[in-house]
Amino acid sequence: MSDECHLCLLGLIVLSSLLTGSSGVDDAHVFISSGEDVHLSCNNALPDCNSTTWNYNRFRHSATDELIALGKKKNNTERHERLSLGPDCSLNINNISTEDYGYYTCRQYVNDKQQGTDARVFLHILHVSSSSSSSSQTEISAGRSVTLFCQLYSFAEGSCDDWISSEIIELFWVNQAGVKLTRSDSRYQILSSSDHCIITLTTTLLNEDHNREWRCEVTQRDQVKTSATYTVKSSAQAETVTAVIPVHITNSQDPSTTTSS
């Protein structure tokens, strides 16, 4: 076959992909700490958001929850009060909780017919908690051992070990100076559970730990995506310290978090 025919055939394949939508839209991965607000972009949006529908799935094969239908919020969703549709057809979610992790699908309909392919956004949520209390604040006496839990809630089904390995995801604790805490430091006991994307930090609080901050970070390919901190604050009424969890300081939703499906 001549070079001209090869070019013609290639052109027909490309044109067919554009017409049928089989060329696909890149999936986006967004990392955020619990308690923050998030903005999920719709990469396949049409000029009129009345054609936009947003769906949510916890896992790949779980039941679908329709959040936005043709530009309007659904009233029968638990997230109703925290949802809004941006002027660019993006989905805004306020006060993210660990229940919000999973993947979100932006889909376009015109005259009841789907247009093009889905635009998917995978939302990964970092959450810090303490063994001392499930609430956001608790009093811990100096000299007492405390365990901090840092968990990445992800769309991965079952073990997230394979996903962490393939995407080069890492969870770790750092001190106030940003230095990574390691198992070689006898003061800290650090354990990782790849099955549930959890890293724990156990330590005994000292008097000098008052107002000290430990931060849990998640990185992808050595780039920090988001972090949450555990801050120990002095109490003026008693010889105790108050643990405040979490204080969110970092959030990355730059284009580098987008990967092809």
Side-chain angles (χ1 to χ4, degrees):
M1 185 181 291
S2 66
D3 291 341
E4 290 78 9
C5 289
H6 277 298
L7 291 175
C8 292
L9 180 59
L10 178 60
L12 289 174
I13 293 174
V14 172
L15 179 60
S16 176
S17 297
L18 293 174
L19 292 176
T20 61
S22 61
S23 58
V25 177
D26 287 344
D27 292 338
H29 290 264
V30 174
F31 297 78
I32 195 168
S33 301
S34 59
E36 295 188 340
D37 301 337
V38 71
H39 171 95
L40 305 181
S41 298
C42 180
N43 294 330
N44 64 355
L46 298 177
D48 185 358
C49 290
N50 290 331
S51 63
T52 297
T53 292
W54 276 97
N55 295 324
Y56 166 77
N57 294 82
R58 173 66 55 82
F59 303 113
R60 293 185 185 275
H61 304 295
S62 62
T64 299
D65 185 8
E66 191 175 54
L67 306 177
I68 305 289
L70 301 179
K72 296 182 179 179
K73 288 196 299 182
K74 300 297 291 287
N75 293 323
N76 60 345
T77 175
E78 296 179 359
R79 298 174 178 84
H80 174 76
E81 296 299 327
R82 298 188 291 120
L83 298 178
S84 64
L85 193 65
D88 58 352
C89 309
S90 59
L91 180 66
N92 301 314
I93 310 176
N94 295 329
N95 192 22
I96 283 291
S97 76
T98 56
E99 295 298 315
D100 294 319
Y101 80 92
Y103 74 93
Y104 295 76
T105 303
C106 188
R107 184 174 294 172
Q108 305 299 317
Y109 289 98
V110 175
N111 297 326
D112 296 327
K113 293 183 179 181
Q114 182 178 346
Q115 304 297 305
T117 56
D118 293 338
R120 297 185 302 179
V121 183
F122 292 89
L123 184 60
H124 314 277
I125 299 172
L126 189 69
H127 181 70
V128 173
S129 60
S130 167
S131 60
S132 302
S133 174
S134 58
S135 63
S136 61
Q137 292 188 359
T138 185
E139 290 189 350
I140 302 175
S141 301
R144 179 179 173 184
S145 177
V146 63
T147 298
L148 310 181
F149 299 86
C150 179
Q151 181 168 0
L152 181 66
Y153 290 80
S154 177
F155 67 92
E157 299 182 75
S159 172
C160 64
D161 188 41
D162 292 340
W163 178 72
I164 282 182
S165 299
S166 63
E167 294 296 325
I168 316 180
I169 302 293
E170 184 179 9
L171 275 73
F172 53 87
W173 289 94
V174 299
N175 61 18
Q176 289 186 116
V179 178
K180 182 178 179 180
L181 303 181
T182 66
R183 294 177 175 85
S184 61
D185 191 324
S186 60
R187 188 189 168 190
Y188 307 110
Q189 182 181 2
I190 300 174
L191 298 174
S192 299
S193 173
S194 58
D195 287 346
H196 301 287
C197 296
I198 298 175
I199 184 169
T200 62
L201 169 67
T202 301
T203 188
T204 299
L205 296 177
L206 306 175
N207 289 329
E208 55 265 31
D209 287 333
H210 293 186
N211 297 317
R212 183 174 179 175
E213 178 180 275
W214 285 279
R215 184 166 75 250
C216 179
E217 294 185 346
V218 56
T219 62
Q220 181 182 35
R221 296 181 174 85
D222 296 326
Q223 291 187 348
V224 176
K225 294 305 177 183
T226 193
S227 69
T229 65
Y230 187 101
T231 305
V232 178
K233 294 191 175 183
S234 301
S235 172
Q237 285 73 28
E239 292 184 52
T240 60
V241 291
T242 301
V244 182
I245 45 177
V247 178
H248 313 290
I249 63 169
T250 307
N251 178 32
S252 173
Q253 298 183 45
D254 57 69
S256 66
T257 62
T258 303
T259 56
S260 299
S261 57

